[in-house]
Amino acid sequence: MVTVEVQPPTQVQAGAIMYPPLVVSSDISDAYDFVQVALVDSYGRVLEDQLYGTLSTSGKTLDERSASRSTRSTEYSAFPDLIISYAGTYSLQVSAIRMDYSSPDGAMAVIAASTMTTQIIVYDQSVAAEIPCKFPLTNNHFYEDYVEPEGLAFPDRRDDFTKDSL
């Protein structure tokens, strides 16, 4: 099974690199040879020559420790430079591929698992970037006041603004 760990942005400008990048995972026991992405329009048609960047990659293995101290190996595949060239409404089809070398016709790529991302709306003009940042929530309470105590650190952007300046 292939799982989308980081969804692509919900909106992006045509010709711009998608941020955050698509990240997918699979259990190492699934033994996929590589993962590839394809652009799918709102009618379910796979579109060629409209998606650019890293379209296929092999997974990188990371060991994860759970609370029960057991270790499970997971392969992650990142697609850091995907670009959609035209405005429209799309999704990405993520396919995990296994190579079949036993076929009498020679090596064949077999789609072993597949999933879809959430919808991506592509505009001709620029859109707001979906970049995590420090921002005020309400009356002098900042996001970091809620998250930093849990152990997540934020870069210090006090040069940009301070709690007293709001």
Side-chain angles (χ1 to χ4, degrees), residues 148-161:
E148 279 188 16
E150 299 298 321
L152 298 176
F154 285 87
D156 188 5
R157 303 220 175 166
R158 301 208 191 280
D159 294 338
D160 300 336
F161 60 86

Side-chain angles (χ1 to χ4, degrees), residues 72-127:
R72 163 180 95 104
S73 291
T74 303
E75 285 191 340
Y76 290 91
S77 299
F79 298 87
D81 58 353
L82 295 178
I83 297 170
I84 300 174
S85 21
Y86 300 105
T89 303
Y90 307 98
S91 292
L92 297 175
Q93 179 179 353
V94 180
S95 301
I97 309 296
R98 276 194 200 116
M99 294 302 295
D100 178 8
Y101 297 103
S102 63
S103 171
D105 297 328
M108 296 180 64
V110 177
I111 297 175
S114 184
T115 190
M116 298 290 286
T117 66
T118 56
Q119 178 177 281
I120 305 163
I121 301 172
V122 181
Y123 297 96
D124 285 325
Q125 68 274 11
S126 62
V127 296

Side-chain angles (χ1 to χ4, degrees), residues 42-55:
S42 56
Y43 298 103
R45 297 178 295 211
V46 174
L47 304 174
E48 296 181 16
D49 298 327
Q50 293 185 31
L51 180 65
Y52 297 95
T54 303
L55 302 181

Side-chain angles (χ1 to χ4, degrees), residues 6 8-10 15 20 36 38 44 56 58-59 62 67 69 74 77 91-92 114 142:
V6 178
T10 57
Q36 70 180 34
S56 64
S58 297
L62 293 176
R69 302 272 188 217
T74 303
S77 299
S91 292
L92 297 175
S114 184
F142 279 69

